[in-house]
Amino acid sequence: MKAIYLFSNYYPYGMVAESFLMDELQVVSQMPCCYVEVIPLHKNEFRKDLPSNIVLNTKLSDTSLLQKMKAFFSMILGRFFWLIPFQRKYSPKSRSDYFQAIKYLYGSYLIRDFLLRNKDDFKEGAIFYSYWFNHTPLGFCMAKEMCRNFEKSKIYTRAHGFDVYEDSVGTYFPFRNKVLSMIDRVFVVSGKGVSCLKQRYPIFSEKIDVSRLGVFPHHVKQDVEKCWDISILSCSSVVPIKRVDLIFDSINRFCQVYGHLKVKWTHIGGGKGFDTLQKGIKSKECNLTIDLAGSVDKPEVMEIYKRGYFNLFVNLSLSEGIPVAIMEAISWGIPVLATDVGGNKEIVTEDTGLLLAVDFVQKQFNDSVLTLMENREALSKSTFEFYLKNYNAEINYTNFYMNQLK
């Protein structure tokens, strides 16, 4: 039986954190040839249910203060800390880079020390799988170098958005050349991400592959609530990079121009900017109705989809991998209007919607909305067909666990 230890940041803890892992674990739980143990770095009071045969290991998130202090001093005294300024080609260039290098290096030592403390708990020849290309893979590599128990283990990581497009999102990860020299594979969620990493680290190109995420299919609802001419949905955290305030401004200005149309905007997601957003939407056009759902867990997200009849999904982010929120939208046959960033062009095509430049002007937004609404029925059908071919959870995750994690 294949033993897989999946390291997350929070999952299964938190209402919305890494909730897209639910579908992946649902698929792998049906595979009798796989033993999967989920190991979160953090936890909190809210915990999602796991499939009955998926094991939860909380020893890492239960790391004591003494153990954390030990990891910190091990980092300060270790060679990696003093080598941070001397990394070949990609050394830190700013105070922020140095801060992030130390933060992520400390995270790596936490992972390393956890593995070394509990080395006898892990099966020989196991697969260590990080859901993010962050500090965790470096911790895996450190432990493998130091302990013979991990000699036959395989190391894999997924890579999404912030952990791929470092420069554009202001993130810095130390010692990636070290990690890539030891890791077995990096699985990126988009072809654009694969190209980015291969260009940045060409000598490790053979270790970088694409492996798309997926969601389960849903019934396509062609009808739209009769009380709305256009029903728009968006779903993301309310943080600067997601530009939810711009979604509101763009929809509100659309309503100024097309005052004869009744428009509804529903946004799913909370965050640091949620209160500010609530205040800002008070000055809206009279033909615009707004529903801010706030932070809800995945079952409630699905209920919102079931109760509503949305005919447009909008994403205006500054950076993305390939958003799971867009995968969810197209699984319901909802066309998408999104910014041309990250891997968005791989999921927002002529079959599923339209792309906007990051610095689009209002007329471009207005024209795109009208074009999508004029073709809503045909687009709904082609959107769902595109989803089935490319982002079906059953197909993508079965392939990942049976053919890529090996």
Side-chain angles (χ1 to χ4, degrees), residues 265-278:
W265 172 47
T266 302
H267 180 76
I268 303 170
K272 293 180 179 179
F274 187 76
D275 290 342
T276 302
L277 179 65
Q278 280 186 310

Side-chain angles (χ1 to χ4, degrees), residues 231-235 265-266 268 304-305 310 312-314 334:
S231 184
I232 300 172
L233 177 67
S234 56
C235 180
W265 172 47
T266 302
I268 303 170
I304 291 172
Y305 271 101
F310 306 105
L312 180 61
F313 186 92
V314 174
I334 303 172

Side-chain angles (χ1 to χ4, degrees), residues 43-59:
K43 69 178 183 180
N44 57 34
E45 293 179 0
F46 184 90
R47 192 185 113 180
K48 304 178 186 73
D49 292 331
L50 288 171
S52 58
N53 55 342
I54 301 293
V55 177
L56 175 62
N57 181 339
T58 62
K59 287 184 178 180

Side-chain angles (χ1 to χ4, degrees), residues 81-251:
F81 181 80
W82 301 102
L83 288 174
I84 286 174
F86 305 107
Q87 295 175 80
R88 186 173 56 186
K89 196 174 182 180
Y90 295 115
S91 59
K93 295 179 175 60
S94 66
R95 186 175 299 176
S96 174
D97 285 354
Y98 276 100
F99 172 78
Q100 291 185 73
I102 294 170
K103 179 181 73 171
Y104 285 115
L105 185 59
Y106 171 63
S108 300
Y109 273 85
L110 284 176
I111 300 295
R112 184 202 73 168
D113 289 1
F114 162 76
L115 292 173
L116 295 178
R117 280 197 312 272
N118 300 281
K119 59 183 182 297
D120 295 328
D121 293 349
F122 300 102
K123 298 179 182 180
E124 185 178 1
I127 290 171
F128 289 89
Y129 161 31
S130 173
Y131 200 70
W132 305 95
F133 192 16
N134 53 10
H135 56 275
T136 304
L138 178 56
F140 292 166
C141 295
M142 290 178 178
K144 188 170 184 177
E145 278 190 323
M146 295 178 68
C147 183
R148 295 185 63 182
N149 291 49
F150 303 117
E151 276 183 347
K152 297 179 181 179
S153 299
K154 295 291 186 76
I155 298 174
Y156 298 102
T157 185
R158 282 200 187 273
H160 301 256
F162 86 99
D163 49 355
V164 174
Y165 310 107
E166 297 176 68
D167 294 338
S168 63
V169 299
T171 309
Y172 179 85
F173 298 99
F175 302 107
R176 279 209 153 163
N177 280 293
K178 169 71 174 178
V179 173
L180 287 165
S181 70
M182 292 189 64
I183 205 167
D184 291 279
R185 282 287 187 276
V186 178
F187 295 109
V188 193
V189 301
S190 70
K192 172 73 178 295
V194 168
S195 299
C196 177
L197 286 181
K198 285 187 174 183
Q199 183 177 10
R200 192 173 177 92
Y201 306 102
I203 64 173
F204 301 110
S205 289
E206 77 284 354
K207 294 187 175 186
I208 302 168
D209 300 312
V210 67
S211 182
R212 301 192 187 283
L213 304 182
V215 296
F216 289 114
H218 302 282
H219 176 65
V220 178
K221 297 182 289 188
Q222 300 284 2
D223 297 328
V224 179
E225 288 179 281
K226 293 181 180 178
C227 50
W228 313 112
D229 296 303
I230 303 174
S231 184
I232 300 172
L233 177 67
S234 56
C235 180
S236 72
S237 298
V238 186
V239 293
I241 200 168
K242 299 297 183 179
R243 301 202 297 183
V244 181
D245 56 338
L246 181 60
I247 295 177
F248 164 66
D249 287 340
S250 300
I251 295 172

